[in-house]
């Protein structure tokens, strides 16, 4: 009905140009978050995606991705939500890579019907990685004894305060292979015949956008504004869809500051610092 009424209006009163909703997915992909550190996860991006796909007059939703990866579960959940909304609302999804769409970031990019990148973007890293630290020697040096009591022989598998066990490592690697297999199947399903016949695609390597185009990991080179205006007209407007904000215009999770909360705030600060260091390490892997 709205479209019919719009056609009845004189041209001079009609809104000029198409407006395309844009969702920007930026950061490391992690399940948790705090007032000290925002993370990219389904809970955080779902409202933005719902709002973007609810734009009835837009034939397409543009998604900008800049992520070095992170949680495979959150990556897949975001991917699935985008595809579900695209099918439900009958809209195309165009994904634009900024600095990097690697590992989980590339998994999300697979939700696009088309993927665009800058020639100098980083794409790929189709693999699974787990990392950590071991402290058994440190505990011994400072005279600390680790005491753990369990019901279940594998409850302390990969405990960083105990020496590594060959069986634990083998179990972790088997788990990684299962997740890697899911990732590979997603890439093949979404990219299909566009993929080059190159065994290194699934090796965990990453490439520039230029090389990614040759390998079939992306469809074209270009930036969002240029591509959308060329495709939908010079009067096309981009509408950035933001997340919910507080009265003061900042994205701040609900945290109660008051009596008895000092310990929680301090713990949150420590957790936020650890998350920041982890995210910094992820970006650094790609020279960023």
């Amino acid at each position: 009905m709205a479209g019919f009424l719009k056609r009845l209006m004189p041209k001079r009163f009609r809104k000029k140009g198409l407006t395309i909703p844009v969702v920007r997915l930026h950061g490391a992909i992690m399940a948790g978050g705090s007032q000290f550190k925002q993370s990219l996860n389904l809970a955080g991006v779902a409202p933005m995606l719902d709002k973007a796909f609810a734009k009835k007059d837009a034939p397409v939703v543009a998604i900008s991705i800049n992520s070095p990866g992170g949680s495979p579960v959150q990556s897949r959940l975001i991917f699935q939500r985008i595809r579900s909304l695209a099918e439900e609302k009958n809209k195309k999804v165009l994904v634009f890579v900024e600095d990097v769409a690697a590992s989980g970031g590339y998994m999300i990019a697979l939700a696009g019907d088309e993927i665009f990148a800058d020639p100098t973007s980083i794409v790929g890293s189709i693999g699974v990685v787990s990392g950590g630290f071991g402290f058994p020697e440190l505990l011994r040096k400072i005279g600390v004894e680790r005491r753990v009591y369990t019901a279940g022989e594998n409850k302390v598998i990969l405990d960083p305060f105990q020496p590594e066990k060959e069986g634990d490592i083998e179990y972790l690697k088997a788990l990684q292979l299962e997740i890697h297999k899911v990732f590979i199947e997603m890439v093949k399903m979404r990219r299909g015949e566009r993929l080059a016949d190159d065994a290194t695609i699934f090796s965990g390597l990453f490439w520039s956008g230029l090389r990614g185009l040759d390998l079939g990991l992306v469809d074209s080179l270009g930036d969002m504004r240029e591509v959308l205006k060329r495709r939908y007209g010079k009067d096309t407007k981009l509408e950035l869809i933001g997340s919910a904000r507080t009265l003061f215009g900042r994205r701040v999770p609900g945290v109660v500051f008051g009596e008895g909360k000092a310990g929680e705030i301090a713990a949150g600060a420590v957790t936020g610092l650890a998350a920041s260091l982890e995210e910094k390490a992820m970006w650094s892997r790609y020279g960023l």
Side-chain angles (χ1 to χ4, degrees), residues 96-97 116-118 221-230:
F96 297 85
V97 180
F116 299 83
D118 186 85
L221 303 177
D223 66 89
M224 181 183 293
R225 185 176 183 277
E226 179 266 329
V227 169
L228 294 180
K229 282 184 174 290
R230 184 180 69 239

Side-chain angles (χ1 to χ4, degrees), residues 65-77:
I65 294 181
N66 195 14
S67 175
S71 164
V73 174
Q74 292 300 319
S75 303
R76 184 168 166 79
L77 287 174

Side-chain angles (χ1 to χ4, degrees), residues 128 130 157-158 166-182:
V128 181
S130 298
I157 188 172
L158 298 169
E166 191 63 34
D168 291 0
I169 297 172
E170 291 177 0
Y171 182 83
L172 176 61
K173 286 186 175 294
L175 190 64
Q176 289 178 322
L177 288 173
E178 291 178 10
I179 298 172
H180 192 200
K181 182 179 179 181
V182 172

Side-chain angles (χ1 to χ4, degrees), residues 205-277:
L205 284 176
F206 49 90
W207 300 271
S208 68
L210 196 62
R211 179 60 178 151
L213 179 62
D214 293 336
L215 293 172
L217 297 176
V218 303
D219 295 286
S220 301
L221 303 177
D223 66 89
M224 181 183 293
R225 185 176 183 277
E226 179 266 329
V227 169
L228 294 180
K229 282 184 174 290
R230 184 180 69 239
R231 185 168 294 190
Y232 296 102
K234 63 179 182 179
D235 294 321
T236 298
K237 298 177 179 61
L238 310 185
E239 180 186 356
L240 181 62
I241 306 298
S243 61
R245 294 180 180 271
T246 67
L247 178 64
F248 302 101
R250 303 180 69 180
R251 292 187 299 168
V252 181
V255 179
V256 179
F257 292 91
E259 189 176 348
K261 293 293 180 180
E264 293 181 19
I265 296 171
V270 172
T271 302
L273 176 60
S276 295
L277 292 174

Side-chain angles (χ1 to χ4, degrees), residues 4 22 41 86 117:
F4 174 73
V22 177
N41 51 52

Side-chain angles (χ1 to χ4, degrees), residues 130-138 158-164 274 277-278 281:
S130 298
F133 299 92
F135 305 101
E137 295 301 322
L138 175 62
L158 298 169
D159 188 329
F161 298 101
Q162 296 182 8
E164 278 191 311
L277 292 174
E278 181 180 356

